[in-house]
């Protein structure tokens, strides 16, 4: 039998009020072991209070080759930003 | 892709790095960049893993619970460093098994320092102080390197290294303040670890082959000789605090340069160890391979259990 442990991505919430953030990856046989290993590998110094693990193959990622069509259209939509609008100086707190 | 197109992509790529942009796993990159990074990151990972062996040797014989807890935590950190780096390296398209294979067959290198034996308890102090000290100097600039996953791994590694060096220094300091025998033991450890530590920065600049390319890709920010000088300058005053003598009769402050001058390194010894003829090269790989092989049944059992569990879950889902 020559089967290798799959790759998992680890997300850690460092404290309540903050989102889970990608911390790195690791190898584990199943989800439970991935959680235990994530605890040992990524939270040895109180770096977290909650962990998510997701098998890497289950993540769909955008391809940098498509970055043009995906992200460039936002560049010419300046009217989505507050500074686009010209307002008189005497207007305060807006 | 035509040669011209590749050339064009390469120029865009180099310009991105020059602008301090990071390269991420799915970005296009020149084959040479990928290969160089696989080599450097995997060697770095192997060094962390093999680096556990000389220290693991002393865990059961630590002189107190405090020292034992510290050493155990340090060695566990090194395992963690290896794991961060292996996963960073995997993003470049090499599998973990391939990297292990390269280590176990002697195809891949790791830091030569770990091919020296740890003869006394004082060696644990000397390793933390000197070897981790040298590693920090080598690693800090890498927190800013161009390959994103490597830089992120290095940031985590560097945060953890400081404790390694401090616990080593504290341990040596305790010996130096102890009985004459204890102090002699500390001096003996310094005598044996000093020169190999200087070699950790690699060959001299005129002998070092890929410095220029590495500088461009931010795998290096300073040359080997500059880093070595930095290490000597910061370590000499620390040895004075310990009250032990660095084994180099040529070591002295150079007012003009504003640096310490130091003696000639035995590069023959360095190349001997790199080529596999150091005191412990064979032992280290043997121990590593044996640990891997003895763990095989555990890895297989874990996979078998995961598959059984998965099948059971599927059946339950079908039934409900
Ligand atoms: Fe380390
Ligand atoms: Fe370390």
């Amino acid at each position: 039998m020559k089967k290798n442990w799959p790759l998992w991505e680890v997300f850690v919430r460092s404290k309540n009020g903050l989102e889970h953030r990608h911390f790195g990856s690791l190898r584990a046989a199943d989800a439970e072991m991935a959680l235990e290993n994530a605890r040992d590998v990524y939270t040895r110094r109180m770096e977290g209070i909650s962990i998510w693990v997701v098998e890497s193959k289950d993540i769909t990622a955008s391809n940098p080759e498509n970055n043009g069509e995906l992200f460039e259209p936002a560049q010419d939509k300046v009217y989505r930003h507050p500074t686009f609008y010209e307002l008189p100086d005497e207007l305060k707190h807006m | 892709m035509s040669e011209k197109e590749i050339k064009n992509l390469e120029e865009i790529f180099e310009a991105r790095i020059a602008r301090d942009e990071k390269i991420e796993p799915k970005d296009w990159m020149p084959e040479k960049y990928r290969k160089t990074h696989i080599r450097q990151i995997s060697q770095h990972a192997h060094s962390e893993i093999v680096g556990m062996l000389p220290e693991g040797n002393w865990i059961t014989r630590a002189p107190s619970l405090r020292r034992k807890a510290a050493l155990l935590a340090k060695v566990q950190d090194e395992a963690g460093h290896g794991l961060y780096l292996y996963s960073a390296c995997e993003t470049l398209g090499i599998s973990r098994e391939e990297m292990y294979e390269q280590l176990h067959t002697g195809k891949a290198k790791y830091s030569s320092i770990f091919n020296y034996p740890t003869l006394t308890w004082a060696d644990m102090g000397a390793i933390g102080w000197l070897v981790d000290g040298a590693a920090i100097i080598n690693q800090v600039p890498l927190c800013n390197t161009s390959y994103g996953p490597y830089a992120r791994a290095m940031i985590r590694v560097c945060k953890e290294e400081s404790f390694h060096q401090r616990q080593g220094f504290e341990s040596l300091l305790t010996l130096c303040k102890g009985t004459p025998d204890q102090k002699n033991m500390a001096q003996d450890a310094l005598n044996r670890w000093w020169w190999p530590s200087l070699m950790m920065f690699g060959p001299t600049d005129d002998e070092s082959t890929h410095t220029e390319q590495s500088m461009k890709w931010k795998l290096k920010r300073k040359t080997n000789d500059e880093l070595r000088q930095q290490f000597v300058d910061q370590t000499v005053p620390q040895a004075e605090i310990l009250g032990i003598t660095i084994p180099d009769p040529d070591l002295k402050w150079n007012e003009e340069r504003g640096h310490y001058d130091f003696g000639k390194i035995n590069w023959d010894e360095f190349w001997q160890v790199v080529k596999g003829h150091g005191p412990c090269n064979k032992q280290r790989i043997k121990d590593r391979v044996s640990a891997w092989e003895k763990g095989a049944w555990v890895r297989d059992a874990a996979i078998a259990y995961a598959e059984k569990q998965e099948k059971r879950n599927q059946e339950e889902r079908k039934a409900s």
Side-chain angles (χ1 to χ4, degrees):
Chain A
M1 184 166 73
K2 177 76 179 118
K3 238 180 158 182
N4 297 314
W5 292 356
L7 193 64
W8 300 76
E9 300 303 320
V10 179
F11 299 81
V12 175
R13 184 202 294 287
S14 46
K15 61 176 191 187
N16 269 4
L18 295 179
E19 63 280 68
H20 285 76
R21 216 163 49 85
H22 185 236
F23 260 46
S25 33
L26 51 77
R27 297 243 162 215
D30 57 25
E32 202 183 321
M33 186 195 281
L35 265 185
E36 285 163 6
N37 289 358
R39 190 204 68 150
D40 288 343
V41 178
Y42 291 106
T43 64
R44 289 194 302 281
R45 290 183 175 78
M46 301 178 293
E47 290 94 336
I49 52 137
S50 162
I51 303 174
W52 291 348
V53 290
V54 183
E55 219 183 306
S56 311
K57 69 169 171 48
D58 293 331
I59 292 181
T60 309
S62 66
N63 191 327
E65 275 168 35
N66 304 330
N67 274 9
E69 58 201 80
L70 281 176
F71 305 116
E72 270 166 30
Q75 281 171 14
D76 56 15
K77 295 184 174 56
V78 280
Y79 49 85
R80 285 179 176 158
H81 297 274
T83 45
F84 178 74
Y85 299 92
E86 286 168 29
L87 300 177
D89 288 345
E90 45 289 22
L91 188 74
K92 298 276 193 275
H93 307 297
M94 188 182 278
Chain B
M1 239 183 300
S2 76
E3 228 164 86
K4 203 176 147 209
E5 279 170 314
I6 291 178
K7 190 111 191 67
N8 196 12
L9 280 173
E10 276 176 1
E11 270 164 31
I12 296 171
F13 179 84
E14 298 292 344
R16 286 182 63 195
I17 293 180
R19 278 199 303 273
D20 259 333
E21 272 181 43
K22 298 285 180 209
I23 306 303
E24 293 295 344
K26 293 179 98 185
D27 293 348
W28 183 89
M29 61 185 80
E31 242 348 84
K32 199 171 161 218
Y33 182 91
R34 184 186 302 278
K35 286 215 173 97
T36 305
H37 278 75
I38 287 179
R39 199 185 56 230
Q40 171 154 343
I41 301 172
S42 65
Q43 282 182 9
H44 194 161
H46 299 328
S47 302
E48 304 282 355
I49 296 300
V50 177
M52 288 191 284
L53 297 171
E55 289 180 295
N57 182 32
W58 280 94
I59 290 174
T60 55
R61 290 175 287 165
S64 70
L65 187 57
R66 186 175 189 271
R67 297 281 175 228
K68 185 172 182 164
L71 185 58
L72 202 52
K74 180 197 191 275
V75 172
Q76 192 188 12
D77 274 357
E78 307 300 4
H81 298 174
L83 295 180
Y84 306 155
L85 289 161
Y86 280 130
S87 29
C89 201
E90 278 184 276
T91 63
L92 289 162
I94 183 171
S95 72
R96 189 146 331 183
E97 291 63 41
E98 232 177 310
M99 289 188 265
Y100 287 162
E101 172 78 18
Q102 292 176 350
L103 174 65
H104 296 166
T105 56
K107 206 180 141 215
K109 299 261 177 284
Y110 54 87
S111 184
S112 278
I113 192 86
F114 302 120
N115 290 317
Y116 290 87
T118 45
L119 303 178
T120 72
W121 168 251
D123 289 10
M124 296 304 97
I127 288 181
W129 173 39
L130 300 171
V131 177
D132 287 85
I136 291 171
I137 289 183
N138 269 331
Q139 288 171 348
V140 165
L142 288 172
C143 295
N144 247 318
T145 193
S146 65
Y147 188 55
Y150 193 24
R152 291 192 286 276
M154 290 317 300
I155 289 171
R156 212 168 296 120
V157 166
C158 285
K159 266 191 205 153
E160 298 178 350
E161 284 295 346
S162 163
F163 133 69
H164 299 178
Q165 197 187 16
R166 291 173 64 109
Q167 64 85 32
F169 192 85
E170 191 202 72
S171 170
L172 266 192
L173 190 60
T174 307
L175 290 177
C176 289
K177 285 182 181 157
T179 65
D181 276 351
Q182 287 175 318
K183 192 165 180 185
N184 285 342
M185 189 161 75
Q187 178 67 59
D188 168 65
L190 173 57
N191 292 349
R192 284 180 291 107
W193 291 96
W194 174 253
W195 292 105
S197 299
L198 292 194
M199 295 174 196
M200 281 177 72
F201 298 94
T204 54
D205 293 350
D206 44 323
E207 297 265 324
S208 171
T209 40
H210 14 250
T211 296
E212 201 185 327
Q213 182 65 269
S214 302
M215 291 272 184
K216 249 201 218 152
W217 289 340
K218 301 179 183 173
L219 280 169
K220 265 206 170 128
R221 306 229 120 169
K222 290 184 184 169
T223 68
N224 295 354
D225 286 333
E226 285 169 334
L227 293 170
R228 189 162 17 240
Q229 183 70 61
Q230 186 184 332
F231 176 75
V232 172
D233 289 348
Q234 86 174 36
T235 309
V236 173
Q238 296 169 351
E240 281 163 11
I241 293 173
L242 292 172
I244 46 182
T245 313
I246 290 175
D248 179 358
D250 296 321
L251 184 77
K252 68 167 189 296
W253 178 251
N254 182 326
E255 190 65 56
E256 214 172 297
R257 291 200 311 127
H259 292 292
Y260 281 93
D261 290 337
F262 52 95
K264 243 177 110 46
I265 292 168
N266 182 350
W267 292 111
D268 287 342
E269 176 186 323
F270 174 78
W271 290 114
Q272 279 300 310
V273 183
V274 169
K275 285 179 190 139
H277 310 301
C280 302
N281 296 55
K282 292 208 178 73
Q283 187 65 40
R284 298 290 183 241
I285 291 302
K286 198 177 132 233
D287 290 346
R288 169 64 203 158
V289 171
S290 137
W292 178 249
E293 283 172 356
K294 285 183 186 150
W297 72 271
V298 180
R299 294 191 298 276
D300 291 347
I303 279 280
Y305 175 77
E307 283 173 347
K308 199 174 83 184
Q309 234 25 42
E310 178 61 29
K311 217 162 117 200
R312 197 171 288 164
N313 288 344
Q314 273 173 5
E315 273 159 19
E316 265 167 37
R317 253 174 272 147
K318 241 184 273 163
S320 63

